[in-house]
Amino acid sequence: MRKPGGWWRRKSTPAKVETYTRWSFHFFALAEVASVGLPLFGAMPGWLTALMLVMVIGHAGTCAVTASRALDWTRGRREQPVHMLWILGTFTFAVAVTAVAITEHGPRGEDVDTAAGGIFAVVLIFGAGVTALGVRARKRVLAIVSGFAAGAGVIAFPLGMPAPATLAAMVGVLLGAGFLAFTSIFSVWLLTAVYELDEARETRARLAVAEERLRFGRDLHDVMGRNLAVIALKSELAVQLARRGRQEAVDQMTEVQRIARETQREVRDVVRGYREADLGAELAGARGVLTAAGIDCQVTGEPSGLPAEVQSALGWVVREATTNVLRHGDAKRCEVAVRKEEGRVVLTVENDGALTASGSGGSGLAGLRERLAAVAGTLEAGPAGKGVFRLVARVPVTAAVVGGGVVGDGVGDDGVTGGGVVGGGVVGGGVVGGGVVGGGVVGGGAADDGVVGGGVADDGVVDDGVTGGGVVGGGVVA
């Protein structure tokens, strides 16, 4: 069951500003009825009170509808409400004429004159202020305010109102209408600015994504372009040599095979660099994005010195947490802390303004758990108080990731690997002679030639350092 007020928290910041602005103008209609409609009771005869009250309520309702449609027009959701502006102007003129006629030719009495005079001034002021919402040019706004003030004199003086009272009414309408028109224009300007800022933030995010795609495409082109051109050239040369029965064709195809494997390795490096996330850069980016969104972001802790695999995994946690803070709820504060304790690093992201949600989280948190599981890490996420959401990621810093497995004992200075799991195979005390992988000597045999410790490897040493099917100093590498 949704809690009261949840509809407001689910709104975006621009939508909240628009709702506030819209209901402010609706409140103006209530203020008009309360200020000049309620005082009619007891001030005029019953039939006249009913007539003027209906006219005041009708004018206030017309102002509310016109303001709502004018706001829709400023947001580009409908055409300019020209017909409503004319209806409002005509209604305002009719109510003002009726009020002056009652003052000069209706029942006598100070209460009658005060009530009718108040209606005369208020409907002109509110009519001018709301009409100003339906135009954009400053000159037109000034013309509307001046026109309503002049109209007050044109209506009042011919119907018998004394000249001093007419002048006072004109000045009052000019000041009141000018203030309300300024308030209306400023409210629309503020609403437009909020929407433009939100659109600019979305545009910046899209540009960042596009820039990253261009970078990846540029790097991939640099890697693939030259190598593919060489492969095509050497393949064509091998075809020509093979047609002539020349043995050099075998050499050319061997070179093509070597270049293809080198290209595969370079592409993996590009993709690995594209997919990995640097924790320090992600923390700085999160602080910048959240601050730009009006959220007070505090980052504590130093991520330097952590293994690359740990930084990458925690960097993705920061990315997802930042996205959740911006998308869900209405946060005003966010704290990000990185600390080391008992051989592990702990990343905590805590923010207020969180919405109450059911379930264990979306696909984003599930993806984070999978990434952290690859480095023996854990993820906890959930409410931590009223309106507070906390995400905690814990990753051991003593473990290193090799081919998807964990090396428990590490590698000594002498190159001896003891009992670690490498790509699922067991290295049972084999000695890496010289510490060179992929072109160096492993157990006395040449890795590139496929001879490892006297045994023959299926493919030699693959890019990630895993040898399939060979014997290394008596240990089996799967």
Side-chain angles (χ1 to χ4, degrees):
M1 182 177 180
R2 294 180 177 179
K3 295 183 178 180
W7 67 275
W8 175 261
R9 289 193 294 270
R10 286 189 295 272
K11 287 180 175 291
S12 63
T13 299
K16 290 179 180 179
V17 176
E18 180 178 354
T19 302
Y20 171 79
T21 303
R22 193 177 297 273
W23 280 100
S24 295
F25 286 107
H26 293 169
F27 175 77
F28 286 167
L30 297 177
E32 179 180 356
V33 175
S35 61
V36 297
L38 297 181
L40 291 174
F41 293 96
M44 294 184 181
W47 67 273
L48 196 55
T49 298
L51 173 63
M52 295 307 299
L53 184 61
V54 168
M55 296 187 73
V56 169
I57 293 176
H59 184 268
T62 305
C63 287
V65 174
T66 304
S68 180
R69 295 190 177 182
L71 285 176
D72 290 338
W73 170 64
T74 60
R75 297 304 316 136
R77 298 169 186 160
R78 65 164 65 236
E79 296 181 355
Q80 187 178 14
V82 179
H83 295 296
M84 285 303 304
L85 294 176
W86 279 107
I87 292 174
L88 177 60
T90 303
F91 206 162
T92 302
F93 177 80
V95 176
V97 170
T98 303
V100 174
I102 292 175
T103 302
E104 299 301 326
H105 307 288
R108 297 299 175 184
E110 184 177 352
D111 293 339
V112 174
D113 294 342
T114 301
I119 293 175
F120 172 75
V122 168
V123 295
L124 288 174
I125 291 173
F126 278 94
V130 174
T131 303
L133 283 174
V135 296
R136 286 179 176 158
R138 295 181 181 178
K139 293 182 178 179
R140 292 187 178 182
V141 174
L142 294 176
I144 289 174
V145 173
S146 302
F148 272 79
V154 172
I155 294 172
F157 190 72
L159 292 178
M161 182 177 290
T166 300
L167 182 60
M170 292 176 63
V171 173
V173 170
L174 179 64
L175 296 178
F179 174 76
L180 193 58
F182 171 79
T183 302
S184 301
I185 298 302
F186 178 77
S187 299
V188 171
W189 174 83
L190 180 62
L191 178 61
T192 303
V194 170
Y195 269 105
E196 289 179 351
L197 287 174
D198 187 67
E199 292 172 0
R201 185 174 62 181
E202 293 180 357
T203 301
R204 183 174 62 179
R206 288 195 297 268
L207 289 175
V209 173
E211 182 179 357
E212 186 66 10
R213 288 175 178 173
L214 289 174
R215 184 197 68 79
F216 179 70
R218 182 175 60 250
D219 292 347
L220 195 61
H221 175 270
D222 293 342
V223 170
M224 298 291 292
R226 179 185 63 84
N227 291 351
L228 288 178
V230 174
I231 288 175
L233 181 62
K234 288 187 172 293
S235 299
E236 183 179 357
L237 178 59
V239 170
Q240 297 297 330
L241 292 173
R243 287 175 179 175
R244 299 174 185 177
R246 302 277 298 273
Q247 290 296 323
E248 291 86 347
V250 177
D251 298 334
Q252 294 298 327
M253 290 308 300
T254 302
E255 184 68 12
V256 167
Q257 185 181 25
R258 185 192 65 80
I259 296 174
R261 289 180 176 176
E262 180 182 351
T263 303
Q264 183 183 27
R265 179 184 58 79
E266 292 178 351
V267 170
R268 287 177 180 175
D269 291 340
V270 171
V271 174
R272 186 180 298 113
Y274 179 73
R275 296 177 62 183
E276 288 181 352
D278 179 71
L279 182 56
E282 293 300 329
L283 290 174
R287 177 164 46 194
V289 171
L290 294 177
T291 302
I295 301 173
D296 181 19
C297 181
Q298 301 293 331
V299 178
T300 59
E302 180 57 46
S304 61
L306 298 176
E309 295 82 1
V310 175
Q311 290 207 35
S312 178
L314 293 180
W316 282 103
V317 174
V318 174
R319 286 186 188 180
E320 180 66 21
T322 303
T323 302
N324 290 339
V325 171
L326 292 174
R327 277 184 165 181
H328 309 298
D330 185 21
K332 297 293 184 295
R333 174 190 59 83
C334 181
E335 297 180 358
V336 183
V338 180
R339 67 181 187 277
K340 299 177 183 178
E341 56 179 31
E342 299 178 357
R344 64 183 178 180
V345 60
V346 180
L347 171 67
T348 304
V349 181
E350 182 177 299
N351 65 278
D352 61 356
L355 299 179
T356 302
S358 59
S360 58
S363 59
L365 295 180
L368 289 181
R369 289 187 174 94
E370 294 176 0
R371 289 182 181 275
L372 291 176
V375 290
T378 60
L379 179 70
E380 297 177 3
K386 185 177 180 180
V388 178
F389 189 86
R390 180 182 298 160
L391 184 147
V392 181
R394 296 180 175 88
V395 179
V397 295
T398 57
V401 178
V402 182
V406 180
V407 179
D409 297 331
V411 180
D413 295 335
D414 55 355
V416 180
T417 303
V421 179
V422 183
V426 180
V427 182
V431 179
V432 181
V436 181
V437 179
V441 179
V442 181
D448 284 342
D449 294 335
V451 181
V452 184
V456 181
D458 291 342
D459 296 316
V461 178
V462 187
D463 293 336
D464 54 5
V466 179
T467 304
V471 179
V472 185
V476 180
V477 180

